[in-house]
Amino acid sequence: MSLSIGIVGLPNVGKSTLFTALTRKGGLAANYPFATIDPNVGIVDVPDARLFELAKIINPGRIVPATVEFVDIAGLVKGANAGEGLGNQFLANIRETDAICQVVRYFSDPDVVHVEGRVDPASDVEIINTELILADLASLEKALPKIEKEAKRDKDVLPKLTIGRKLEAWLNEGNRAATMEMTEDERTAAHDLFLLTMKPVLYVANVDEDGLNKELAPIDGQQPIAVCAEVEAELADLAPEEAEEYLESLGLEKSGLETLAQAAYKLLGLQSYFTAGEMEVKAWTIPIGAKAPQAAGVIHSDFERGFIKAEVASYEDYVTLGGEAGCKAAGKLRIEGKEYVVSDGDVMHFRFNV
């Protein structure tokens, strides 16, 4: 399944430098606002050490990790909701993503212009959140009268109207839609309103190198991921062994970008299961709580349509017992049906017929 994260922030906070390092795809990095006009898109592997442990047993032709798509979106300024700067384009691009990665400037380089003339992370976050809230209010202002007319003809539309009005009041108080308490039914109804502030958010603090190991204050109730875009850009140009040594010299176990990719994956309630064969060992992305036929469907729709059974071993058993044969011998290779809820790390083989 496709997972798309929009990288957003004010101009000159290091978004494009971060994107370039993240994807090793030369996004334009420049010291002036709106250097990024068209959204760059890059696919990033989700690091997972379990793949390599499985590969030691199988010795496959290739290893295929799960991926996240990152979209580098043009910088936003005050008034974007009304079309200021590249606001309309920004809002259209971000609407297409599953989640938002908001890059916030913490670094203090005087040679890099700040669009607001000062480095103030809390204020930067407030500007972006306010613009997204205002954009959502504008969307509701247009949508609610139409929904109200529909609800008079079709009672099934009433839940959408009710939650739309609730969200309008909530947004008018300066809150993001995602922070409002809702029942599952209300969330389902709200989904069709396509509000920007319903999207999950990750905060990335772009810090100076000496800020990588410092404790950062929470942003909007969550701990920001500390990343030094300049350090990540250097890491992207190094061989794996050299990169590992460089990280050790900085007192870090893994790169900020590795942390970011994993956090983005978890943000949307996703997990991996594995297929393991001579051709490849591969991670497949599914929602937490997915049942076996749904998991089979991410490989091919025919697998879901014609699902019969799944052969399943846990990752731990598969590695401990030396693969499929060892799991069979120990009675750890299970046959599961349509109601089986897949666990993170399951090694699976599907039986199907179409």
Side-chain angles (χ1 to χ4, degrees):
M1 60 186 292
S2 175
L3 168 58
S4 178
I5 309 289
I7 301 179
V8 305
L10 294 177
N12 295 347
V13 297
K15 286 187 308 87
S16 293
T17 302
L18 183 68
F19 176 85
T20 303
L22 188 65
T23 62
R24 290 182 170 83
K25 174 185 175 182
L28 174 62
N31 180 23
Y32 54 87
F34 312 123
T36 307
I37 297 175
D38 296 318
N40 292 301
V41 178
I43 306 296
V44 179
D45 292 342
V46 179
D48 194 330
R50 294 176 298 181
L51 282 167
F52 297 96
E53 293 302 314
L54 292 172
K56 288 178 185 176
I57 296 168
I58 300 293
N59 193 27
R62 61 176 182 165
I63 297 173
V64 185
T67 59
V68 176
E69 178 184 89
F70 281 95
V71 184
D72 180 21
I73 297 172
L76 174 146
V77 293
K78 282 182 183 177
N81 71 93
E84 290 295 321
L86 296 168
N88 291 332
Q89 191 168 329
F90 172 96
L91 297 171
N93 292 333
I94 199 173
R95 212 174 288 279
E96 301 301 316
T97 62
D98 299 308
I100 297 169
C101 169
Q102 189 176 145
V103 181
V104 185
R105 178 171 173 174
Y106 279 67
F107 68 88
S108 55
D109 188 343
D111 294 328
V112 179
V113 178
H114 190 293
V115 72
E116 292 294 317
R118 79 285 175 275
V119 177
D120 184 346
S123 176
D124 290 358
V125 170
E126 185 179 352
I127 288 171
I128 289 185
N129 286 342
T130 297
E131 292 303 322
L132 296 179
I133 288 168
L134 290 172
D136 279 348
L137 283 168
S139 294
L140 287 174
E141 187 179 353
K142 290 180 182 177
L144 287 178
K146 296 176 185 176
I147 297 170
E148 193 169 357
K149 286 181 183 178
E150 290 174 20
K152 289 177 181 177
R153 299 191 303 268
D154 183 354
K155 289 184 179 180
D156 290 341
V157 181
L158 274 173
K160 187 176 176 181
L161 177 62
T162 303
I163 194 61
R165 286 171 173 167
K166 279 186 182 180
L167 283 165
E168 185 176 38
W170 183 252
L171 290 162
N172 268 315
E173 293 175 2
N175 304 304
R176 292 193 306 113
T179 63
M180 190 175 89
E181 288 190 16
M182 287 180 260
T183 64
E184 280 305 310
D185 287 344
E186 285 176 327
R187 286 197 176 275
T188 299
H191 181 268
D192 291 338
L193 295 169
F194 302 108
L195 300 180
L196 298 173
T197 61
M198 277 294 289
K199 294 180 185 292
V201 178
L202 278 172
Y203 292 100
V204 170
N206 188 8
V207 300
D208 293 304
E209 185 178 318
D210 60 6
L212 283 170
N213 291 302
K214 291 180 181 176
E215 189 73 23
L216 298 175
I219 298 176
D220 200 17
Q222 67 172 273
Q223 194 64 36
I225 299 168
V227 171
C228 176
E230 294 296 334
V231 167
E232 301 300 331
E234 290 179 32
L235 284 168
D237 291 330
L238 296 176
E241 299 80 12
E242 294 174 322
E244 191 173 338
E245 289 176 8
Y246 185 27
L247 284 171
E248 286 180 7
S249 72
L250 295 172
L252 302 173
E253 291 183 5
K254 55 186 174 181
S255 72
L257 301 184
E258 185 175 346
T259 303
L260 174 57
Q262 291 171 337
Y265 195 65
K266 291 178 182 176
L267 179 68
L268 292 173
L270 301 173
Q271 63 182 10
S272 291
Y273 77 86
F274 305 111
T275 52
E278 290 183 3
M279 288 184 63
E280 65 180 21
V281 167
K282 185 168 183 175
W284 299 89
T285 302
I286 56 170
I288 293 171
K291 293 183 178 180
Q294 186 182 355
V298 303
I299 298 176
H300 196 286
S301 58
D302 284 351
F303 281 32
E304 182 171 9
R305 185 160 53 92
F307 179 89
I308 300 172
K309 297 286 182 184
E311 297 177 4
V312 184
S314 72
Y315 165 77
E316 290 77 12
D317 287 340
Y318 198 93
V319 171
T320 302
L321 298 170
E324 184 177 327
C327 288
K328 273 184 180 177
K332 294 293 187 179
L333 187 67
R334 312 186 307 275
I335 302 298
E336 301 286 0
K338 292 183 178 181
E339 294 304 308
Y340 175 68
V341 177
V342 180
S343 295
D344 183 56
D346 276 351
V347 183
M348 306 185 75
H349 175 75
F350 298 102
R351 299 179 188 174
F352 71 101
N353 184 35
V354 291

